[in-house]
Amino acid sequence: MSRERFAAAMRSAVTESSELGYAPTRILQMLESGTHAVDIAKKLVVSGDFQTGFREMIARGRPDLTFESIMLEDEFADLFTRQELEVARWRLSNVKN
């Protein structure tokens, strides 16, 4: 059930990002392709790149709309490995605009 709540939280963040003027098209494409939101987050968090959407939300003062931030919510932390959570935490604290 928490996988589905995570997917809903990701979709909500995508909608809110769009309302702020940034449409996260890559994430939308991945979600619409049938890839589960948990798998998307796992793939992107270890990619080594700060995605455009991540930088956009940080620049707009909305780190809460990043998948890294959503991953770290207590409700969803058990969906990810300790290493994935550490990377998400590191990314949030080390991004440069």
Side-chain angles (χ1 to χ4, degrees), residues 22-36:
Y22 175 74
T25 54
R26 183 173 177 209
I27 298 292
L28 278 170
Q29 289 170 345
M30 294 173 91
L31 288 168
E32 290 171 0
S33 76
T35 305
H36 196 279

Side-chain angles (χ1 to χ4, degrees), residues 50-69:
F50 287 106
Q51 288 78 24
T52 303
F54 177 85
R55 290 185 182 278
E56 283 288 329
M57 292 303 99
I58 297 297
R60 292 168 193 257
R62 295 299 309 270
D64 59 303
L65 296 179
T66 65
F67 64 79
E68 288 87 349
S69 182

